[in-house]
Amino acid sequence: MTSNDPTIARAIRAALLTPDPRAKCFATRKLVRDWRQGKLAFDFDVAMPDRPAWPDSPQLLAPKEMPRRSKGGSERGRIALWHALAHIEFVAIDLALDMAGRFGADQGREFVDDFLSVAADEAMHFALLARKLESMGSHYGALPAHDGLWQAAEDTAHDVRARLAVVPMVLEARGLDVTPSTLERVRAQGDVNGAKILSRILDDEIRHVAAGTKHFERLAGETGESPQNLWKILLEKHFHGAVKPPFNDSARLAAGLSRDYYAGIAS
């Protein structure tokens, strides 16, 4: 490839700076496809933005300012649930892209492969959820969403180990804990399509947490540190929330996240 050929860093940066959700999904899937086909040079010749571009709506609120979501079966409550899930998946696209683009030069091709695969999954999840909202007569952006999800990326932009510890191994692992109960509630409402979407997301998120755990343990091994002890140290320094039970131990174990990690620190 010549110096004028497209690079993986430029493709990732362009996707991060695409505000329209549908266009961001297309850009993400295209760059992953191009990467897998060898069309993008393994060259990190541009920096990642401090913050990705997002659309004007939804209105972003601090988590404590978000209206409480009803757990009942009202139409408004169901739309609010699917909107919240869509927002999580939308931000997750950028979290995975930033992981690959910010740290890939030092971490290598397998790391980039893994987190671009995560980004492609998140784009697919968002597309499914956006379509779900539209089938209910709503759309992504119709309701406010919380602005706390990107904070973890900003807080760990300087340290790949901290990023892995917080984003896949806490935030995504939390999805493994809470999705099964949401799935059961959706099934009880007779929403077959919604249940299929959540089942697919849960299966994929196990792989996402596993990718994060794998690379975290590799990095800990390179310095001879206990992964579990290092994880706890990094969480104390970089994670501002609480690691809350109940835990989906079987899904966490399938992702390589044994109880040795989170036993004793749960609040």
Side-chain angles (χ1 to χ4, degrees):
M1 287 189 169
T2 71
S3 59
N4 294 323
D5 285 325
T7 67
I8 187 59
R10 289 180 184 273
I12 292 173
R13 180 181 170 87
L16 284 166
L17 292 177
T18 300
D20 178 75
R22 191 182 300 270
K24 189 186 289 282
C25 287
F26 281 135
T28 299
R29 289 154 103 165
K30 182 180 187 303
L31 83 85
V32 174
R33 189 166 59 248
D34 287 349
W35 168 251
R36 289 170 176 168
Q37 292 174 355
K39 296 178 181 178
L40 298 172
F42 186 77
D43 188 356
F44 293 82
D45 53 340
V46 294
M48 295 301 108
D50 292 335
R51 190 174 178 97
W54 290 346
D56 293 336
S57 59
Q59 176 191 11
L60 298 177
L61 301 175
K64 63 183 179 182
E65 295 173 355
M66 285 292 294
R68 290 187 67 82
R69 197 167 69 237
S70 167
K71 291 196 174 180
S74 70
E75 185 71 5
R76 177 181 292 184
R78 288 198 296 270
I79 288 172
L81 167 67
W82 293 108
H83 193 278
L85 294 172
H87 182 64
I88 290 168
E89 297 297 326
F90 178 69
V91 179
I93 301 169
D94 287 327
L95 287 170
L97 289 174
D98 187 78
M99 183 82 85
R102 187 172 299 276
F103 302 113
D106 292 333
Q107 298 306 314
R109 285 182 177 272
E110 184 179 347
F111 183 94
V112 174
D113 285 341
D114 286 344
F115 286 101
L116 289 186
S117 292
V118 172
D121 285 347
E122 307 295 18
M124 183 266 293
H125 296 167
F126 174 79
L128 290 172
L129 292 164
R131 197 175 308 141
K132 176 70 174 174
L133 281 169
E134 288 162 9
S135 75
M136 301 172 77
S138 188
H139 63 276
Y140 177 62
L143 298 175
H146 75 79
D147 193 28
L149 292 171
W150 191 254
Q151 185 67 46
E154 293 178 340
D155 291 346
T156 59
H158 62 291
D159 184 348
V160 65
R161 301 191 307 176
R163 175 70 65 86
L164 290 165
V166 172
V167 175
M169 298 174 71
V170 174
L171 300 183
E172 287 205 77
R174 182 65 180 151
L176 304 183
D177 302 332
V178 301
T179 301
S181 62
T182 306
L183 175 56
E184 288 309 309
R185 195 160 75 245
V186 167
R187 277 189 180 134
Q189 293 166 355
D191 186 350
V192 176
N193 168 259
K196 284 183 179 177
I197 293 172
L198 290 177
S199 293
R200 174 63 188 268
I201 290 174
L202 180 59
D203 287 346
D204 289 343
E205 297 296 350
I206 291 172
R207 288 189 294 100
H208 299 174
V209 176
T213 305
K214 175 183 75 173
H215 288 288
F216 182 81
E217 292 185 344
R218 170 181 59 80
L219 287 164
E222 288 174 2
T223 54
E225 295 173 89
S226 157
Q228 293 83 1
N229 290 342
L230 177 62
W231 184 74
K232 291 170 184 174
I233 290 167
L234 290 169
L235 249 59
E236 187 173 339
K237 187 174 181 180
H238 297 288
F239 184 60
H240 306 304
V243 180
K244 302 175 183 176
F247 300 116
N248 184 346
D249 289 329
S250 61
R252 283 171 170 258
L253 188 59
L257 204 56
S258 66
R259 284 195 67 88
D260 294 346
Y261 278 98
Y262 49 93
I265 67 164
S267 61

